[in-house]
Amino acid sequence: MTDHPHRPETVAAGALGYEDADSGAIIPPIHPSTTYVRDPDNAYSRGRVYARADNPTFDTAARTLSALENGADTLLFASGMAAATAVFMALEPGDHVVVPDVMYWALRNWLHGAATRWGLRVEGVDTADSDAVRAALRPGETKLVWVETPANPLWTVTDIAAVAGLAHEAGARLAVDSTVATPVHTRPLDLGADIVMHSATKYLNGHSDVIAGTLTTARKDEAWARIKAVQTQQGGILGSFEAWLLQRGLRTLFARVRWQSAAAQGLAERLSAHPAVSDVLYPGLPGFPGHGIAARQMTGGYGGMLSIRVKAGAPAAIATAAGVTVWRRATSLGGVESLIEHRASIEGPTSPVPGNLLRLSVGLEAPDDLFEDLDRALNRAAG
Ligand code: PLP
């Protein structure tokens, strides 16, 4: 673990106090170069060879994230999916892995499709239930437990410390998709996880203009070297410009996420009392299953994501999404603009998501405008 004397807000805002040695510039440059000069004696004393392996433009975002997650190293990937799949592809065919039933749908589809065909033995469980995780673990055979908390789009909460203990007892490692919690609210490595993953497309960049993924490791060990090799060989790296935008987005992470979490909490409370809404799914609501665990492992808020279930059913949910004007009807999450999405339409028939569910990503607009817009659309859809 690295020792950073400053508080996380200071680390993020100042990008670890970057200063260009030649010019004194406080903003790092973009390095588009794909290759680096070899020394006359044939060595690469500056440590860079070819930009599929690494690129100085990655350094600021990677080091900032290592500091925020209290990790030993960070890799930047071309997408969240490239980051997540690299963790599984660093395993051996035949290895057993335990994954959540409820998780980001494209990763679930990949695990039960391509990864299974490649030879991974993939077992889905309710990771919010520690007894179910214990029962699924096969000591000596299970190499990885993957959890996502809060999990998209039902916001199920998994107890990271409890699952880390169970995974380690069985000889497995724990990886956590912390995209929704962000380092503002949860530091999975401090709770015992081995790897933390983010779709940096979401809150870390925060402006809906970069597709990116990250992995941060607790230790630079053999498993990490294998993941790094998967990335270098397959070439799922981030572009220079995207890496630069990511470091810029990270500087405002705390201000954005704190605002978004506070607004989401307020909306969750107001929507709980709405006559057209049958259920509000949000870890910050005291009645939400998993709220107790969330209150222990999340600090300073419960994130900017919530879902509502529309009382009148799926057609009314779709009509509600069609009736808003402030919320944008689009997929994705974590940007400055609020998004609304009917998830069942996108996830298809194998999805565990109810047809009357709308997923809400809360942005930086005035919370009253967001509530009034949704209130109008809900009332209109309810007839
Ligand atoms: N994990 C979560 C929780 C996500 O919401 C997403 C994307 O929506 C991903 C992973 C995949 O990230 P990307 O779209 O950057 O590949």
Side-chain angles (χ1 to χ4, degrees):
M1 305 271 169
T2 27
D3 178 26
H4 298 283
H6 298 302
R7 291 171 181 81
E9 294 88 338
T10 311
V11 169
L16 297 166
Y18 176 86
E19 184 181 313
D20 185 77
D22 293 331
S23 67
I26 62 167
I27 301 300
I30 301 178
H31 292 272
S33 186
T34 55
T35 192
Y36 306 92
V37 169
R38 193 188 270 270
D39 304 331
D41 67 358
N42 225 28
Y44 276 108
S45 59
R46 283 170 286 199
R48 316 247 186 214
V49 178
Y50 186 52
R52 178 152 42 74
D54 77 288
N55 173 335
T57 323
F58 299 168
D59 291 356
T60 305
R63 288 182 189 151
T64 302
L65 204 51
S66 291
L68 295 179
E69 291 289 8
N70 201 18
D73 199 13
T74 293
L75 292 173
L76 309 184
F77 288 79
S79 66
M81 280 297 285
T85 55
V87 177
F88 292 95
M89 298 209 71
L91 301 172
E92 294 288 335
D95 284 349
H96 180 251
V97 297
V98 174
V99 304
D101 285 330
V102 174
M103 67 190 303
Y104 174 58
W105 72 295
L107 184 57
R108 192 182 67 234
N109 286 352
W110 180 83
L111 285 164
H112 294 288
T116 301
R117 285 196 298 280
W118 178 67
L120 277 188
R121 288 181 295 149
V122 178
E123 188 158 344
V125 297
D126 175 6
T127 55
D129 176 354
S130 295
D131 290 337
V133 174
R134 188 184 288 106
L137 284 164
R138 301 183 199 166
E141 289 177 53
T142 308
K143 293 292 164 19
L144 182 75
V145 178
W146 180 275
V147 304
E148 180 184 324
T149 182
N152 200 348
L154 306 181
W155 317 117
T156 321
V157 177
T158 291
D159 186 335
I160 296 171
V163 174
L166 293 171
H168 294 157
E169 250 171 56
R173 294 157 54 79
L174 175 66
V176 177
D177 181 341
S178 195
T179 298
V180 169
T182 82
V184 175
H185 296 312
T186 307
R187 298 221 295 193
L189 303 182
D190 288 354
L191 297 167
D194 301 285
I195 289 187
V196 56
M197 174 257 156
H198 291 279
S199 167
T201 312
K202 317 303 184 194
Y203 293 99
L204 298 190
N205 177 62
H207 292 76
S208 307
D209 52 12
V210 169
I211 295 279
T214 66
L215 295 176
T216 302
T217 184
R219 290 167 304 280
K220 287 195 202 180
D221 53 12
E222 203 222 318
W224 184 245
R226 287 175 66 118
I227 291 170
K228 213 166 170 168
V230 169
Q231 183 188 42
T232 305
Q233 289 162 359
Q234 297 199 333
I237 53 158
L238 202 55
S240 301
F241 184 53
E242 287 75 11
W244 187 87
L245 281 174
L246 177 56
Q247 67 79 29
R248 186 173 69 168
L250 276 169
R251 288 166 178 248
T252 55
L253 177 72
F254 281 81
R256 285 185 283 105
V257 169
R258 287 206 176 122
W259 173 284
Q260 287 164 304
S261 293
Q265 179 77 41
L267 282 168
E269 287 165 9
R270 291 172 83 179
L271 289 165
S272 295
H274 199 287
V277 173
S278 61
D279 202 5
V280 178
L281 311 181
Y282 185 64
L285 292 176
F288 185 73
H291 172 72
I293 296 164
R296 274 207 314 277
Q297 80 183 11
M298 300 182 80
T299 50
Y302 298 89
M305 295 301 302
L306 68 149
S307 296
I308 56 172
R309 295 186 66 176
V310 177
K311 213 176 255 175
I318 293 169
T320 302
V324 291
T325 55
V326 179
W327 298 80
R328 311 300 299 274
R329 204 166 38 259
T331 196
S332 200
L333 57 102
V336 300
E337 59 288 302
S338 291
L339 303 180
I340 186 165
E341 189 178 31
H342 182 249
R343 282 303 296 174
S345 300
I346 200 167
E347 297 197 13
T350 59
S351 165
V353 177
N356 66 347
L357 181 138
L358 290 172
R359 186 180 79 178
L360 306 176
S361 171
V362 179
L364 299 183
E365 304 89 344
D368 284 347
D369 283 339
L370 293 173
F371 179 77
E372 287 162 17
D373 188 37
L374 198 50
D375 175 48
R376 266 192 304 270
L378 281 163
N379 291 337
R380 220 177 298 131

